[in-house]
Amino acid sequence: MSGQPVRLAIASTNQIVSQGLRSMLADHADRVVVVDHRDESVTPDVVIHDRLDPAEPVAWVSVGADVTEILRVVEAAAAGEIGTPGPLAALTPRELEVLRLIARGLSNQAIADQVFVSINSVKTYIRSAYRKIGVHSRTQAVAWCLQNDLG
């Protein structure tokens, strides 16, 4: 960005989420300014919303994230860094295959059956892949896969 604060719109129907985010970011107006997503005269740089739309670039952040993590994700999205292939290069072909199957909704046992390995091997691939892409849950892995066109 150009030194200007990121214009952030919070498009949530949940008032607790909206007010909580506004409150968390209030002390960081030099980095992020919350704008009204319904105001057509203002174009936000980044929009935070409740649901995942696989047709759009996706960045995710945990509801339990602290303000530092939220700021990091918002600024990365505004800088166009969302969807960069960094961790893709570190993944083995088997880890990529397992992640794609997770994104398609398969269980660990179904993945094991499909790729002809033990369920323990699947769990090992999952742990390794999660560590490389920086996620901690299946939901986060699916979001990461969608963000990186692996869905």
Side-chain angles (χ1 to χ4, degrees):
M1 297 295 298
S2 63
Q4 296 293 322
V6 175
R7 292 179 310 268
L8 173 69
I10 303 171
S12 175
T13 57
N14 185 322
Q15 284 188 324
I16 294 172
V17 170
S18 296
Q19 290 172 350
L21 284 169
R22 284 179 184 276
S23 177
M24 288 175 76
L25 297 170
D27 291 337
H28 302 279
D30 59 322
R31 295 173 66 184
V32 175
V33 175
V34 178
V35 298
D36 186 346
H37 71 280
R38 296 168 302 233
D39 183 349
E40 294 181 11
S41 69
V42 178
T43 303
D45 300 307
V46 177
V47 178
I48 291 180
H49 54 87
D50 299 300
R51 60 178 222 275
L52 187 62
D53 183 354
E56 297 179 18
V58 175
W60 53 262
V61 65
S62 168
V63 174
D66 63 14
V67 70
T68 302
E69 179 64 6
I70 292 169
L71 287 166
R72 185 192 67 74
V73 171
V74 167
E75 289 174 336
E81 297 169 2
I82 299 303
T84 57
L88 277 173
L91 294 166
T92 67
R94 182 68 83 185
E95 290 165 346
L96 279 169
E97 181 178 25
V98 168
L99 285 172
R100 283 187 180 103
L101 295 172
I102 286 171
R104 290 189 7 212
L106 274 66
S107 68
N108 289 358
Q109 186 61 59
I111 293 169
D113 294 343
Q114 184 159 337
V115 299
F116 305 106
V117 298
S118 72
I119 193 160
N120 287 333
S121 292
V122 169
K123 291 176 184 178
T124 298
Y125 291 127
I126 290 171
R127 278 192 301 274
S128 178
Y130 282 14
R131 184 176 56 254
K132 289 177 182 179
I133 65 174
V135 302
H136 303 286
S137 72
R138 208 169 190 94
T139 302
Q140 291 175 338
V142 169
W144 187 92
C145 287
L146 293 172
Q147 171 185 338
N148 289 278
D149 297 321
L150 295 178

